[in-house]
Amino acid sequence: MVAGASTAQPRAEIAPAATNFNVVFERETTSGNADVIITTEQGKPQRDLTANDAANDSAPSFSPTGKRIVFTSDRTGHFALWTMNPEGGDQRLLTRSRGSDVNPAWSPNGQQIAFASNASGNWDIWVVNANGKGRRNLTHDSATELDAAWSPNSSRVIFDRIVGRRSDIWAVSVKSGRQKRPTNLTPGSSIDELDPSLSKTGRLAFDAVDKKGNYDIYVIDRGKHVPIRLTRNRAEDSTPVWSPDGTRLLFVSARTGDYDIFEMNADGSNVRNVSRDHIVADVAPNWAGPAPGRARQARTLAATFPCGSPLGTLGNDDGSSHPTVQGDGGANRLCGRAGDDVVHGNAGNDLIDGGGGNDKLFGDGGSDTIYARAGTVRDSDTIWGGAGSDMAYYDPGKDVVKADVEYKRTTS
């Protein structure tokens, strides 16, 4: 549904805003314009990132790392794509065209942004590099094509294709673009599908209108063709978006009397209101963090990482055999030992070393550097960077790693 040149950012720039703020959406304000709102998964607190202008700022989409947000704005007199940081600062014009550029979606690999544009005289799907260069048209025909989303490996863009009164979900290769005919992902369906989203495992979510004119959320499992209905509500449920881990969906619902952002599990259970606003319309939700299907960005690095490395002003330095180590709000140097440790950095830019054993290492807030050593090849460590720009180092083993940059260490 149509809603109304970047370089790498310094790590310190986004750290204050990143803590727990993992949902963005568009809010139609009481002044009559639209703004971009950022909040937590719990729905509070909420910040208006574009409150200082009277333009319509809509359809936000996070970059995979959560360091930038792309959105649509008409502040120049027509709709174009802009980017900003998660605090609402450093706003930059990304696209310029003779038409309107709307509804952007950042690719899982962070390299491109897909969007809908009528610059060629018809609504088509386009892509542009994340720095604003390399703009090109992926579709070009008489159909109306909107609501771009990405496949997990960033190789295809999926979208609505509307012909007359019928709508289906289609996909087109980013590499081949107009040289290869788009593929219909929902052929022969008896319902009209809109607003697609693909999970990391390839589950297709969308909204569709039934014979009574009511919109609900559906999913199609990978390799299947039969839609599974997740919501059954007399009010409109639309615009589903998969969480980065593929276990939950954000969506828009009018079940409270106006449009709010809701969340539910992947099977349709545990529905709850996120935006909790009963005055104005909240639409176009999007998640922060690694996009669905983002491949692990592990790199091989030969390096030393001694636990005693200095890191600014040191806080707690617990080298004892206690199984749990807690940092404070400062910059901590936290060291586990050979046992099975649980280490929390908490707020601050921390250096965390698990030592040997099966460790659980949590950076929590701040820009953290975390290292899980392998005492044996059977070691099974868990590293969670949390908010901020984190670096994780891990030796061979059965490790679960979630951080912004990951380095798999070698023995040399």
Side-chain angles (χ1 to χ4, degrees):
M1 300 179 181
V2 178
S6 177
T7 57
Q9 301 301 304
R11 288 170 58 184
E13 177 182 342
I14 59 98
T19 303
N20 295 327
F21 283 82
N22 62 343
V23 172
V24 288
F25 58 90
E26 169 193 340
R27 170 168 289 165
E28 296 179 11
T29 72
T30 55
S31 299
N33 65 309
D35 281 343
V36 174
I37 308 297
I38 190 169
T39 188
T40 67
E41 200 170 340
Q42 290 70 43
K44 57 183 181 181
Q46 297 181 8
R47 296 178 182 173
D48 190 332
L49 300 183
T50 58
N52 294 329
D53 69 83
N56 287 295
D57 302 315
S58 60
S61 175
F62 270 104
S63 68
T65 62
K67 296 179 181 180
R68 301 292 293 176
I69 298 170
V70 63
F71 62 101
T72 301
S73 180
D74 64 354
R75 61 188 64 185
T76 60
H78 67 282
F79 285 105
L81 304 188
W82 290 69
T83 66
M84 61 182 169
N85 64 35
E87 289 186 315
D90 191 25
Q91 297 188 12
R92 308 179 189 179
L93 179 63
L94 187 72
T95 64
R96 302 173 187 270
S97 74
R98 294 173 294 178
S100 294
D101 300 337
V102 300
N103 292 12
W106 216 304
S107 65
N109 63 15
Q111 297 178 5
Q112 293 181 299
I113 295 167
F115 58 99
S117 177
N118 61 359
S120 61
N122 193 65
W123 285 108
D124 292 316
I125 301 301
W126 295 65
V127 291
V128 65
N129 294 338
N131 62 4
K133 299 180 180 180
R135 177 189 177 116
R136 58 193 177 95
N137 194 342
L138 294 185
T139 65
H140 191 196
D141 55 39
S142 59
T144 297
E145 289 144 346
L146 303 166
D147 300 322
W150 288 88
S151 64
N153 62 4
S154 301
S155 66
R156 297 190 300 170
V157 173
I158 59 175
F159 56 93
D160 310 335
R161 188 172 188 268
I162 304 169
V163 178
R165 296 184 178 182
R166 289 286 299 156
S167 174
D168 288 306
I169 307 300
W170 289 65
V172 64
S173 168
V174 175
K175 184 176 180 180
S176 58
R178 292 169 60 184
Q179 283 71 48
K180 187 175 182 179
R181 183 177 178 83
T183 303
N184 191 344
L185 300 184
T186 55
S189 173
S190 60
I191 54 179
D192 294 318
E193 304 91 353
L194 294 165
D195 300 310
S197 178
L198 270 176
S199 76
K200 63 183 296 183
T201 59
R203 297 189 78 196
L204 175 63
F206 54 88
D207 60 68
V209 59
D210 60 22
K211 295 180 180 179
K212 296 181 180 179
N214 188 54
Y215 284 88
D216 277 302
I217 307 297
Y218 296 77
V219 296
I220 297 178
D221 291 333
R222 184 173 183 176
K224 306 293 183 180
H225 300 285
V226 179
I228 302 170
R229 190 171 182 172
L230 295 187
T231 64
R232 295 180 179 273
N233 196 288
R234 293 183 178 179
E236 178 180 330
D237 296 327
S238 64
T239 325
V241 183
W242 286 106
S243 63
D245 61 6
T247 63
R248 304 179 309 286
L249 286 158
L250 289 175
F251 65 101
V252 177
S253 180
R255 62 185 66 191
T256 57
D258 70 337
Y259 290 101
D260 281 332
I261 307 301
F262 282 75
E263 180 191 69
M264 64 181 169
N265 293 341
D267 62 359
S269 64
N270 195 27
V271 178
R272 63 183 187 86
N273 194 333
V274 174
S275 63
R276 304 176 183 178
D277 182 277
H278 305 303
I279 301 175
V280 293
D282 297 333
V283 296
N286 190 261
W287 298 86
R294 181 188 176 207
R296 174 186 281 192
Q297 304 258 328
R299 310 174 188 179
T300 300
L301 180 73
T304 59
F305 193 89
C307 187
S309 296
L311 183 67
T313 301
L314 299 180
N316 298 338
D317 183 10
D318 191 342
S320 68
S321 60
H322 296 167
T324 301
V325 181
Q326 291 275 357
D328 56 19
N332 301 294
R333 182 182 62 195
L334 305 171
C335 305
R337 284 297 184 248
D340 297 344
D341 305 308
V342 178
V343 182
H344 286 269
N346 293 325
N349 302 329
D350 308 307
L351 183 150
I352 300 174
D353 189 331
N358 301 324
D359 305 310
K360 297 182 185 297
L361 312 175
F362 301 87
D364 301 325
S367 299
D368 308 304
T369 303
I370 308 172
Y371 178 28
R373 301 175 187 265
T376 69
V377 295
R378 295 185 298 276
D379 276 4
S380 179
D381 302 306
T382 298
I383 299 176
W384 183 270
S389 302
D390 310 300
M391 292 189 294
Y393 296 76
Y394 59 100
D395 284 330
K398 298 178 181 179
D399 305 308
V400 177
V401 183
K402 293 185 178 181
D404 293 312
V405 180
E406 302 163 15
Y407 295 92
K408 186 172 184 178
R409 284 169 42 85
T410 65
T411 56
S412 59

